[in-house]
Amino acid sequence: MLKILITYAVQGEFVEIKWPDIEPYYVRTGIGKVKSAFHLAEAIRQVQPDLVLNIGSAGTVNHQVGDIFVCRKFVDRDMQKMKEFGLECEIDSSALLEEKGYCTHWTEHGICNTGDGFLTELTHVSGDVVDMEAYAQAFVCRSKEIPFISVKYVTDIIGQNSVKHWEDKLADARQGLSHYFNVLKERI
């Protein structure tokens, strides 16, 4: 039985995954990199999963509400400014996923840009989607040599929507992610 630790930031993003031959464990991490990293590290210590799957909502600049992205590459937008000083701000989790043979048939590729602020104004953002947790989780998983993947449902267009729009779209995200995992993808 494959142990999968499924992370989500807020209750409105919770999706039950019903795949055969897996043992799912769920952890609500809270919003933001620090809370997310802490709660994930504690859950990893307790569960010792084979894979961590982050699911949730995200904003975008160049795509549509309702799009779903499977992210294996992550950018820390708060640390991007420090890149010239040699500080790391990007993680690619592809190699460990491929080595273990996980999620190889999930073809919806994307780059997730993570930061501690909820973006409401259009700024230069690298990546396909923006969130507030995935980079931190990718960092924790890489340090513990656990495969990590993040699946994001676009709930808002940066510069066009507010925090209220995001809250209103959480039910759509939950429904879209449930369909993605339990209809389109019936296995890891």
Side-chain angles (χ1 to χ4, degrees), residues 101-136:
Y102 299 149
C103 313
T104 56
H105 63 290
W106 297 6
T107 57
E108 305 81 5
H109 294 286
I111 298 172
C112 186
N113 183 298
T114 300
D116 276 322
F118 190 100
L119 294 181
T120 57
E121 295 180 12
L122 192 58
T123 59
H124 173 71
V125 176
S126 60
D128 298 294
V129 293
V130 298
D131 80 342
M132 297 173 72
E133 300 83 27
Y135 179 90

Side-chain angles (χ1 to χ4, degrees), residues 6 30 36 55 63 70 72 88 94 102 107 128 144 152 164 183 185 188:
I6 301 162
S36 185
I55 60 175
H63 303 285
V70 176
R72 295 169 178 85
E88 178 185 48
S94 301
Y102 299 149
T107 57
D128 298 294
K144 297 187 177 294
K152 297 295 183 176
K164 179 71 176 135
V183 176
K185 308 295 181 201
I188 197 74

Side-chain angles (χ1 to χ4, degrees), residues 25-39:
Y25 296 85
Y26 299 91
V27 62
R28 184 171 64 191
T29 63
I31 295 174
K33 292 185 290 188
V34 173
K35 286 181 184 177
S36 185
F38 175 79
H39 291 294

Side-chain angles (χ1 to χ4, degrees), residues 3-4 7-8 19 23 31 37-38 40 42 48 64 71 73 75 95 108 124 131 138 140-141 144 147 174 185:
K3 281 196 228 178
I4 299 179
T7 66
Y8 57 98
W19 293 333
E23 193 174 340
I31 295 174
F38 175 79
L40 174 59
E42 286 294 301
Q48 299 182 3
Q64 302 293 319
C71 302
K73 295 181 181 178
V75 176
E108 305 81 5
H124 173 71
D131 80 342
V140 169
C141 288
K144 297 187 177 294
R174 192 171 48 253
K185 308 295 181 201

